Amino acid sequence: MEKAIEPELCRTMKEVRQGVDAIDAELVALLAQRFGYMRAAARIKQDRSAVRDEDRKRAVIDAAVAAARAQGMPDDFVARLWEDLVETSIAYEDGEWVRQRG
């Protein structure tokens, strides 16, 4: 895959698509790393009830929304995306908590 250029420098749809594809690959790699932390959390937390922490969930979503706002992104989209990401992460961590102690 060719190296992507900055969005402001794109002159063709090929360049735009290369940039989007590169970002998507980076996002998947970052999500894989994030889920690695969920596995670590499942390993570290001794009590299954500690997997769901509503205060932490709210703090994570609020931080993402604030970061989105600072970047000029649509914060309502980021709030929905992070809600889904965090809920999926909690479900994954819960499954890992059970699997690791199986």
Side-chain angles (χ1 to χ4, degrees), residues 32 34-44 92 96 99-100:
R34 189 182 199 285
F35 277 80
Y37 285 109
M38 297 301 96
R39 288 189 299 278
R43 177 177 39 82
I44 293 166
Y92 180 80
E96 281 296 304
R99 187 191 66 75
Q100 291 177 20

Side-chain angles (χ1 to χ4, degrees), residues 53-68:
D53 180 343
E54 291 297 329
D55 290 338
R56 172 67 179 153
K57 175 185 169 182
R58 177 56 30 216
V60 168
I61 293 170
D62 289 349
V65 168

Side-chain angles (χ1 to χ4, degrees), residues 25-36:
E26 288 180 47
L27 286 170
V28 170
L30 288 170
L31 286 169
Q33 187 175 9
R34 189 182 199 285
F35 277 80

Side-chain angles (χ1 to χ4, degrees), residues 3 6 10 12 20 22 27 35 38-39 41 54 57 61-62 68-69 72 74 87-89 94-95 97:
K3 180 160 172 42
E6 294 299 313
C10 289
T12 68
V20 169
L27 286 170
F35 277 80
M38 297 301 96
R39 288 189 299 278
E54 291 297 329
K57 175 185 169 182
I61 293 170
D62 289 349
R69 205 173 280 138
E87 279 300 321
T88 300
S89 296
D94 185 65
W97 194 95

Side-chain angles (χ1 to χ4, degrees), residues 3-94:
K3 180 160 172 42
I5 62 174
E6 294 299 313
E8 300 77 19
L9 300 177
C10 289
R11 297 291 176 250
T12 68
M13 283 308 300
K14 180 180 178 184
E15 292 170 337
V16 169
R17 289 178 180 135
Q18 286 172 338
V20 169
D21 291 348
I23 293 296
D24 287 351
E26 288 180 47
L27 286 170
V28 170
L30 288 170
L31 286 169
Q33 187 175 9
R34 189 182 199 285
F35 277 80
Y37 285 109
M38 297 301 96
R39 288 189 299 278
R43 177 177 39 82
I44 293 166
K45 292 177 182 175
Q46 295 302 308
D47 187 348
R48 187 176 181 188
S49 66
V51 169
R52 178 169 288 281
D53 180 343
E54 291 297 329
D55 290 338
R56 172 67 179 153
K57 175 185 169 182
R58 177 56 30 216
V60 168
I61 293 170
D62 289 349
V65 168
R69 205 173 280 138
Q71 293 286 327
M73 293 177 54
D75 56 1
D76 58 333
F77 163 73
V78 171
R80 289 190 314 272
L81 182 64
W82 251 255
E83 172 72 29
D84 194 30
L85 174 61
V86 173
E87 279 300 321
T88 300
S89 296
I90 291 168
Y92 180 80
E93 182 184 333
D94 185 65

